Amino acid sequence: MPDVDDVLGVLTEQIETRFQMPIDELRQAVSAAPQASPEAATIVRWHGLLSEAQQVLDGAEDVLAEALARHVEAVPDGEFVELPEHVMQLANTVNIAHTVREGRAMTVRHLLDPQAIGNRTAVWRSPAPRRGPALPATAPSLPAAGQAPVRGAVR
């Protein structure tokens, strides 16, 4: 079982469970016949985008870790020194890569959730077509009202 922090691994496992085949076989099946299952094709596409985002995040984290290690080695023990601008930029890159990965993971989670809005097929449709308009087709009539006496008013 994948590590709980391994977003890609957890979602890959859910996809494999849902389609009852390993992700590589599912990718090949979708590649061979993309129209056979539009749902599978969409999920495979977003899984690929998620995998790509995970690779970018891993690489950005590695570069940041190396830069931080070099910075720590250069700083005398016990001394506080602000991080250089290039290290802060690397940290910002990691933050952006993380945000992209989380957005793509959220999309895959949504696609896997059968109860999510947009994923329900017949749940919202009524079994029989409506026979008339949902609202009255004519304007409502107002009751005829005479003038009501007004006390203390000048006419």
Side-chain angles (χ1 to χ4, degrees):
M1 180 168 179
D3 184 5
V4 177
D5 292 333
D6 180 18
V7 174
L8 180 61
V10 170
L11 290 173
T12 299
E13 186 176 277
Q14 290 175 4
I15 291 169
E16 291 174 345
T17 300
R18 172 126 175 222
F19 292 99
Q20 297 296 304
M21 66 175 64
I23 191 71
D24 292 334
E25 287 181 28
L26 181 61
R27 192 175 291 116
Q28 289 172 355
V30 165
S31 180
Q35 296 81 13
S37 175
E39 176 189 23
T42 301
I43 289 174
V44 164
R45 175 176 172 265
W46 277 98
H47 181 270
L49 293 171
L50 174 59
S51 297
E52 179 183 287
Q54 183 65 54
Q55 290 173 352
V56 170
L57 176 58
D58 291 344
E61 287 175 335
D62 291 344
V63 171
L64 176 60
E66 289 173 14
L68 287 171
R70 281 192 306 271
H71 178 72
V72 168
E73 288 174 3
V75 175
D77 286 341
E79 193 174 317
F80 174 79
V81 178
E82 285 190 29
L83 291 173
E85 183 63 30
H86 76 280
V87 175
M88 292 301 293
Q89 289 174 348
L90 292 172
N92 189 46
T93 300
V94 168
N95 190 32
I96 291 168
H98 181 266
T99 301
V100 169
R101 194 272 316 261
E102 287 304 303
R104 291 177 181 182
M106 190 176 358
T107 301
V108 172
R109 280 188 210 104
H110 174 81
L111 293 170
L112 289 171
D113 182 3
Q115 297 300 312
I117 294 174
N119 292 348
R120 302 176 196 168
T121 53
V123 173
W124 292 103
R125 296 187 188 131
S126 60
R130 270 195 296 217
R131 303 228 185 260
L135 299 172
T138 59
S141 59
L142 297 174
Q147 278 193 317
V150 177
R151 296 185 186 193
V154 179
R155 290 187 187 207

